């Protein structure tokens, strides 16, 4: 459902919200991430890195499903962010989504946080501005 919010896109089963907070791009997918909806997540992740936000935080607390296509979108974003000196942080994964990451071993290549607040916390001395 597209609520008409700035930075929000929708395609039936997935809504993606993008905002900038604490020097990070915070992307919140809501619904089902699969072959049909993956592009809705890929675009804001890639655009954020292109705009200088190489620290990506994906708030997964509203993500109800993720298949291999969705996982590949996140892995691609990770590679792009790391090439710019950043990273992808995953926050608040529901058990059904976390299980996909555990089974595939993908949880080992992401920084996973219990919730969004902890994902937004940076080590002391870290820049609060977008990475250039």
């Amino acid at each position: 459902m597209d609520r008409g919010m700035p930075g929000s896109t929708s395609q039936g089963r997935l809504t993606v919200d993008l905002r900038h907070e604490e020097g990070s791009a915070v992307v919140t997918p809501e619904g089902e991430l699969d072959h049909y909806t993956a592009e809705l997540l890929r675009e804001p992740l890639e655009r954020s890195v292109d705009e200088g936000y190489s620290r990506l935080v994906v708030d997964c607390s509203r993500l109800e499903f993720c298949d291999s296509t969705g996982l590949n979108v996140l892995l691609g974003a990770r590679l792009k962010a790391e090439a710019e000196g950043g990273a992808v942080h995953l926050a608040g994964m529901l058990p059904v989504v976390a299980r996909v990451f555990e089974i595939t071993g993908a949880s080992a290549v992401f920084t996973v946080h219990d919730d969004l607040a902890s994902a937004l916390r940076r080590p002391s001395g870290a820049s609060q501005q977008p990475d250039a």
Side-chain angles (χ1 to χ4, degrees), residues 3-126:
R3 297 183 193 104
M5 297 184 301
S8 175
T9 55
S10 176
Q11 186 174 0
R13 296 174 297 138
L14 185 74
T15 299
V16 178
D17 181 63
L18 169 65
R19 68 186 187 282
H20 298 110
E21 190 172 327
E22 310 269 335
S24 300
V26 180
V27 181
T28 305
E30 181 176 349
E32 299 178 11
L33 177 59
D34 59 23
H35 172 75
Y36 300 103
T37 60
E39 196 58 34
L40 285 173
L41 182 60
R42 181 187 330 271
E43 193 278 327
L45 291 169
E46 290 183 357
R47 181 170 26 107
S48 293
V49 175
D50 291 343
E51 292 174 354
Y53 290 91
S54 62
R55 187 175 195 279
L56 306 175
V57 176
V58 181
D59 179 2
C60 300
S61 64
R62 298 179 192 158
L63 190 59
E64 300 165 0
F65 176 80
C66 180
D67 72 0
S68 61
T69 307
L71 181 59
N72 283 329
V73 166
L74 292 167
L75 289 167
R78 174 186 159 263
L79 292 175
K80 189 166 183 162
E82 286 181 353
E84 298 298 321
V88 174
H89 297 257
L90 304 177
M93 280 194 279
L94 298 175
V96 68
V97 174
R99 183 77 176 130
V100 172
F101 284 79
E102 291 167 12
I103 290 171
T104 61
S107 57
V109 299
F110 290 100
T111 304
V112 179
H113 303 270
D114 289 336
D115 55 41
L116 182 59
S118 60
L120 288 172
R121 261 187 245 117
R122 290 178 178 246
S124 39

